[in-house]
Structure formats: structure tokens, C-alpha cells
Amino acid sequence: MSGNAKDQILDFVRARYPQAEIDETQDIFALGFVNSLFAMELVMFIEKTFEVTIPNDELKIDNFRSATSMAELVDRLSPARV
Amino acid sequence: MTTLAETAPDVLRVTDRKSARAFVDTHIVPYADAYDRRGRVPEELLERMTAAGLWAPFLPRDTGGGGMDLVTLGEVHEEVGRGCSSVRSLLTVHTMVSWAVQRWGSPAQREQWVPALGRGDVLAAFCLSEPGAGSDASGIASNVVEKNGGWVLNGVKKWITNGQRADLFLVFARTATSIGAFLVPRDSPGVEVTPIEDMLGTRASMIAEISFRDVALGPDALLGPSGFTAGMVLTGTLDLGRYSVATGSVGIVQAALEACAAYASRRTVGGSLLKDLPLIQAKLSDMVTDARAARLLVAEAGRLKDAGEASTIMATWVAKYFASTAAARHASEAVQIHGANGCGHDYPVARLYRDAKVMEIIEGSNEIQRITIASQAEREII
């Protein structure tokens, strides 16, 4: 899994909620941060930053619960690196 | 059926602001007040818009679209809004649905609908508001239940722009777990369209109430993901609608400015032309300034959309809030400048005044926008 991707995602979430203390494994849904607006921003951020397209069947809540799970999603969607 | 595009291939194609302005000045501006009085946009103009490629020029070229960037699309919608807010409203809802199908549709859904939406062979309407729920989407009561591998839809949608004419409805309804978006052809059994007449503004946008009674839909009617991400279909689609309304609001300010500049250059009072009176000059200078400022905010939101930046959503809220309030303020001043003439049918400013008020309400009322903008500011600054 890309640690860089995880850090970038974490930076994005923290920038949106600077008053909160969030680590890479915390469930941001459980923390009550996610509404449909932020979910849309998250998807746009991931697609833009990592140059991937998230298909409908990957738009599941578990893929967006934490920076770790989002980084795993990015890894799955990114072209294989040699 | 022979189309206008076939019989009159020389009809202007709209590809940018300049060609949009020419189209609007030729085919819309001279007739906008008549559309307003009759309460509908004639089929002839809808056909001309099809021939001009106006309906969804942003769709990708490989789907038959024009691949237009969203900054340019905003400029085109501004020009149409300058000519007639009702016509721009038809474009707005068609744009929203076309984008949603292209963005969230399955390959089969895209193949079925996108080329036809792009050409304008199928016109679309966006069905969210209900008698008891407007800006508060969480309050919608329309519902779907899964049955026989498909869905059954029940509910009533109200204030549906182009509901009288559209061929395809994108309907938001409650599922067992969340809110989903469903593609519903107009000719589905159980769909009933009731025109809503005599609206305050955008009177020609063919608004309707639409009832869905036990409408049976196939499994492919659901657009996009289900579950928590279903809300993104709504968020993303409303964002584009809000962008179009913002551009249309800039168009209203520009139309007010042009009408007032023309009137103030001819009308005299006490031996002076209106344009030479300081109080009138103040009103005109505010119109010029706000038109430019709103246009820049809209362009920035469009640039962020083209770049795929998440910050476009808030930029669009800000642009729509600023542009719509400016439109309402300046359309009111435009009537004031015209005096009694502004209250009649001989000048367009009464229509602009009524249309501008609607801009402060649709695609999220300005009160909702201010709450959202303040919330964002709190997150970023405080």
C-alpha cells in the first residue's frame, strides 16, 4: 500500500477538519464528519490526486472509512507499477 | 420525422460565448417576453436548440457530444440566461440529468441515454422537490421498493422544470436504506404530469407536478451507487445545476445592465438624459461591477470543475449566492430606472425582476447557501 497516498488523504481530511485529531485508521464516519458534500469532495480529491476513476461498485462505505482503506482503494485502482 | 438540423443545416452551431450570443440575439431575445406571457417555450425554439447543439455540448466526443469544457459551458448558459431565464432553466435541468447519466450511469445506461440526451432527441427533467420538501432533500417522501428484481416507485414531485415537456425524469426517492436516483421514462404507466401555471418567474419553463403511482421500473432504473454514496449523485448533480443557475444569474444582471443603458441613453427627465444623472450612474456602475465580479466567481468555479478540484463545490455555492443576490438586486433597480415603463410589457425588466427572484430560491435557497458557506468558513478559517 502506498504510504504516500495515505498521507495525502490524511492531509486532505485534516485540512477540512483542522479542529479534529484524526489518524490513519480512525473511522471518519464514526466521528460524524462525513455528509454527502464531503463524500463528493473525497471522491473528487482521490480521482484528481491519484488519477483514477472510482467505479460505482467501489463506492462502498467501507472503502472510505479511513485514510488506510482509501489508500487501499487507490492501490487497487492504480495501474500496476513495474 | 425531418428535423430542423436536416432542413436548415446552416442554422448557427453554438460552440462558445460568441456564437451563443449570436444565437440568443437572433432566436431568443426578440421572443422572450412572448414566451413569458404564453407560459411556454415553443417547439420551434427547442428544435433550433437541437440544431445548434445546445442541449449538452459538454458530453464527451466519443458519445457524440462536443467535449465542451465547463468554463465555456458556463459562458453559453450565461448568454442564454441573458436572453431568457426560462430557456436557460430548460438547459439547466437537461444538463444536470445528462451529466448524471454520463458520470454515474452503467455502460448500458450510458449507451441507452447519453447520445440521445446529447443530441436533444430526449429532453430530461430533474425531480427532487416535493410538496413537503424543497431544499431539504432529506425530507422527501417518494419511495421505491424492490419487487420482482426491479423497483416500484410511488410519490409526488413538484415544481419540476420542463416537467410538461421532458421525455425522461431523474427521480430521487427513498430506498430501504438511503435515497436513490432513478431514471423514469415519461411514458411509463403510472406517470401523470400536471402543468403548474402562472408562476411568479421563469414562467415559460413548463413547470409541472408529477405523480408516480405504482410505477414499475426495471433493475437498470437505479442510477449510480446505492447506500451512502447514493447521496453523491444528488450532490454532484445539484452542484452542476447550481453552476448553471449562477451563470444564468450573471446573464440577468447583464440583461438588466443592457436594458438600463439603452433606456437611460434615450429617456430624459428635467431636460437631462437619465444616464447623466448621478443616482442613475451609481446604479449602472454597480451593475457593471457586480456583473464582472459574478462572472469571475462563476469562471473560477468552472475552472475548478474542469480541473477536477474538490473545491469547486464550495466555489459554486459562493458564485451562485453572489450572482443570484446580485441579479435580484439589479433587476429591482432596473425596474426602478424604467419607472412605470418598467412595470409593463414594453420593456423586459419586469420579466427580469420576476425571474431573478426565482434564482434566489432554486438549487438550494440562499439561506441554505449561507449556512453552507459559513460552515465551510468555520472549518477553514476559524
Side-chain angles (χ1 to χ4, degrees):
Chain A
M1 186 202 320
S2 166
N4 185 43
K6 193 159 50 182
D7 291 342
Q8 287 178 270
I9 292 165
L10 207 48
D11 286 346
F12 179 79
V13 176
R14 284 172 174 160
R16 288 290 190 277
Y17 297 97
Q19 75 279 23
E21 293 182 10
I22 305 169
D23 67 30
E24 62 191 44
T25 60
Q26 265 179 314
D27 184 337
I28 59 175
F29 289 87
L31 292 170
F33 291 154
V34 179
N35 55 23
S36 61
L37 174 63
F38 185 57
M40 187 74 194
E41 289 178 329
L42 265 178
V43 169
M44 292 183 74
F45 168 76
I46 290 172
E47 290 191 337
K48 163 79 174 173
T49 304
F50 305 107
E51 298 180 333
V52 296
T53 299
I54 304 174
N56 286 352
D57 60 5
E58 290 279 17
L59 288 168
K60 302 169 185 166
I61 191 167
D62 287 343
N63 287 339
F64 295 87
R65 283 196 186 281
S66 67
T68 297
S69 60
M70 284 184 264
E72 290 170 349
L73 172 67
V74 170
D75 270 2
R76 281 201 302 281
L77 297 175
S78 298
R81 295 178 177 84
V82 286
Chain B
M1 186 179 75
T2 304
T3 67
L4 188 66
E6 293 165 338
T7 58
D10 57 335
V11 167
L12 180 66
R13 293 289 293 184
V14 171
T15 56
D16 54 16
R17 181 189 289 276
K18 183 179 179 184
S19 52
R21 190 170 185 85
F23 181 92
V24 169
D25 285 343
T26 302
H27 298 301
I28 296 179
V29 169
Y31 313 107
D33 286 322
Y35 302 159
D36 185 66
R37 284 195 292 276
R38 291 175 194 153
R40 65 185 305 106
V41 173
E43 286 294 317
E44 181 189 1
L45 179 62
L46 302 182
E47 283 189 31
R48 286 196 183 282
M49 292 165 66
T50 297
L54 258 172
W55 287 107
F58 60 91
L59 290 170
R61 291 185 189 281
D62 61 6
T63 66
M68 182 182 283
D69 63 85
L70 291 182
V71 170
T72 304
L73 183 77
E75 293 172 346
V76 169
H77 282 203
E78 180 198 324
E79 290 298 332
V80 175
R82 178 180 59 82
C84 176
S85 289
S86 291
V87 178
R88 197 270 312 142
S89 295
L90 306 186
L91 281 185
T92 297
V93 295
H94 187 82
T95 294
M96 294 165 76
V97 178
S98 300
W99 177 86
V101 177
Q102 172 60 29
R103 174 64 181 83
W104 302 104
S106 65
Q109 287 170 327
R110 287 201 294 268
E111 183 180 356
Q112 180 178 4
W113 296 113
V114 169
L117 288 165
R119 288 191 301 269
D121 293 346
V122 167
L123 298 186
F126 178 80
C127 300
L128 175 64
S129 294
E130 299 184 355
S135 293
D136 178 18
S138 66
I140 66 173
S142 295
N143 68 89
V144 291
V145 293
E146 290 192 73
K147 189 173 181 182
N148 300 329
W151 307 86
V152 176
L153 169 66
N154 278 284
V156 178
K157 296 295 179 179
K158 197 167 184 181
W159 318 120
I160 305 306
T161 295
N162 207 18
Q164 295 180 34
R165 173 61 178 78
D167 309 292
L168 177 67
F169 303 124
L170 181 60
V171 182
F172 289 84
R174 290 195 172 282
T175 65
T177 58
S178 65
I179 291 174
F182 294 84
L183 291 164
V184 183
R186 179 197 189 90
D187 57 6
S188 303
V191 175
E192 182 179 337
V193 175
T194 305
I196 300 175
E197 313 281 3
D198 293 329
M199 294 289 291
L200 169 72
T202 61
R203 293 167 59 90
S205 58
M206 298 184 278
I207 292 173
E209 178 174 295
I210 306 175
S211 297
F212 302 93
R213 293 194 182 91
D214 295 325
V215 177
L217 302 170
D220 59 343
L222 175 65
L223 180 70
S226 57
F228 99 100
T229 47
M232 288 193 299
V233 179
L234 178 58
T235 302
T237 309
L238 279 174
D239 172 66
L240 194 57
R242 208 167 284 127
Y243 177 65
S244 176
V245 170
T247 68
S249 298
V250 180
I252 291 174
V253 178
Q254 184 66 34
L257 172 61
E258 292 176 13
C260 290
Y263 188 77
S265 297
R266 294 193 306 269
R267 178 79 174 189
T268 59
V269 58
S272 298
L273 285 168
L274 280 183
K275 72 179 181 66
D276 294 326
L277 301 179
L279 287 176
I280 301 301
Q281 290 174 334
K283 295 180 194 297
L284 292 175
S285 66
D286 286 352
M287 288 183 194
V288 171
T289 304
D290 280 348
R292 291 189 181 194
R295 193 171 286 125
L296 285 171
L297 287 172
V298 167
E300 175 67 357
R303 185 189 67 76
L304 292 168
K305 287 185 197 312
D306 285 328
E309 295 283 355
S311 56
T312 187
I313 295 174
M314 194 51 58
T316 302
W317 278 107
V318 171
K320 193 268 184 178
Y321 171 57
F322 185 90
S324 62
T325 53
R329 186 167 60 249
H330 294 307
S332 174
E333 291 288 33
V335 174
Q336 193 72 20
I337 289 172
H338 282 70
N341 282 322
C343 300
H345 290 306
D346 294 336
Y347 295 87
V349 292
R351 172 172 51 84
L352 298 177
Y353 177 69
R354 290 183 284 99
D355 289 347
K357 185 61 206 172
V358 177
M359 301 307 115
E360 293 192 304
I361 296 170
I362 56 174
E363 313 308 358
S365 70
N366 281 8
E367 287 72 24
I368 296 278
Q369 291 170 62
R370 293 169 87 173
I371 291 169
T372 309
I373 293 166
S375 170
Q376 175 75 357
E378 183 181 1
R379 283 193 297 171
E380 291 183 349
I381 301 167
I382 299 172

